[in-house]
Amino acid sequence: MIMKIDKAEAINNAVMSTKVREGMELARIETAQSMLKDELPLETISKYTGLSIEKLEELKREQEQ
């Protein structure tokens, strides 16, 4: 069975998908920031958030300002 999706619906689906991904990224960053405040090791934070060590170092520098 072939499903037809109109152009507007396809665009809406793509936008929603992007918003979901952005929301998930924001949640990972917020979690990492909390973990950084608790001074957990970067490797541990990376393991549980999926963020790179480089990104975590950047977040840590931002917190120190």
Side-chain angles (χ1 to χ4, degrees), residues 1 4 7 9 11 17 23 27 29 33-36 38 42 45 50-51 53 55 58-59 61:
M1 180 173 163
K4 284 189 167 184
K7 189 174 183 178
E9 185 177 352
I11 291 170
S17 179
I29 289 171
Q33 288 170 329
S34 294
M35 296 171 88
L36 286 166
D38 287 344
L42 296 182
I45 299 171
L51 298 174
I53 297 296
K55 179 67 175 177
E58 177 185 326
L59 292 172
R61 283 190 300 274

Side-chain angles (χ1 to χ4, degrees), residues 4-63:
K4 284 189 167 184
I5 298 177
D6 67 14
K7 189 174 183 178
E9 185 177 352
I11 291 170
N12 186 47
N13 289 344
V15 168
M16 291 302 294
S17 179
T18 299
K19 295 290 185 188
V20 168
R21 282 193 307 275
E22 289 172 357
M24 291 173 66
E25 179 73 7
L26 181 58
R28 287 197 303 263
I29 289 171
E30 290 172 349
T31 299
Q33 288 170 329
S34 294
M35 296 171 88
L36 286 166
K37 285 180 186 173
D38 287 344
E39 300 181 359
L40 294 171
L42 296 182
E43 293 78 12
T44 302
I45 299 171
S46 178
K47 177 181 176 182
Y48 289 104
T49 63
L51 298 174
S52 69
I53 297 296
E54 293 79 18
K55 179 67 175 177
L56 296 173
E57 289 170 342
E58 177 185 326
L59 292 172
K60 187 174 181 177
R61 283 190 300 274
E62 289 173 4
Q63 281 185 349

